[in-house]
Amino acid sequence: MRTDRLELRLPTDDELAELAELAARGVHRPDERPFLTPWTDLPPRELARRVVQWQWRARGEWTPQSWSLQLAVFEHDRPVGVQQMSGRDFAVLREVKSASWLGLEHHGRGIGREMRAAMLHLAFAGLDAEYAVTESFADNPAPLAISKRLGYQPGWDQPGRAAR
């Protein structure tokens, strides 16, 4: 997928190595913990290895009943992060779940909103999804602001849900 400045696609093995290096440099400030995964608590090499393993696992475990599309996000042909879209029993539920991360040096430039909007377009226009769900810690304002701007509505059991 392409937007005005981004490309979202599966990375090649060389690009996956670049993506892992990007993650190892940081996806959030060390004094924050905006994800369940303790990104800053892991040694950089281990973190990079886990990024690669996560991508391979998502591809290897893909089934029609349970899938996770891990799209690398590129700006000027360089990886800047990952936008994930996953589904369980999608044929019945017509619901996708999103997750993402962005290299720390790319925060605050609108890339997170643009990549999530692209993912939503794929979900609704391309896959005919009815709902998109996302989760975020309550003290992580950037993704919460993105969710609000893109039309997600808070639910009793989840931080955000967008409907077609």
Side-chain angles (χ1 to χ4, degrees), residues 93-110:
L93 300 175
R94 310 308 295 175
E95 180 179 274
V96 297
K97 185 175 182 179
S98 69
S100 63
W101 62 264
L102 195 58
L104 187 56
E105 64 256 38
H106 303 289
H107 288 203
R109 299 177 37 229

Side-chain angles (χ1 to χ4, degrees), residues 3-72:
T3 69
D4 289 341
R5 65 177 164 167
L6 303 177
E7 181 181 14
L8 288 76
R9 61 177 168 78
L10 292 175
T12 66
D13 286 342
D14 289 340
E15 291 166 339
L16 186 51
E18 288 181 61
L19 198 60
E21 290 172 15
L22 175 69
R25 290 194 304 270
V27 300
H28 61 82
R29 292 188 348 229
D31 61 332
E32 297 176 343
R33 176 124 185 239
F35 300 106
L36 287 176
T37 302
W39 291 78
T40 57
D41 295 349
L42 300 172
R45 287 180 60 96
E46 183 177 343
L47 178 58
R49 181 176 50 82
R50 286 188 183 192
V51 167
V52 172
Q53 288 174 326
W54 184 258
Q55 286 275 333
W56 289 342
R57 186 179 306 116
R59 294 177 195 181
E61 294 178 351
W62 188 289
T63 68
Q65 295 77 30
S66 179
W67 49 268
S68 179
L69 180 60
Q70 303 284 325
L71 297 175

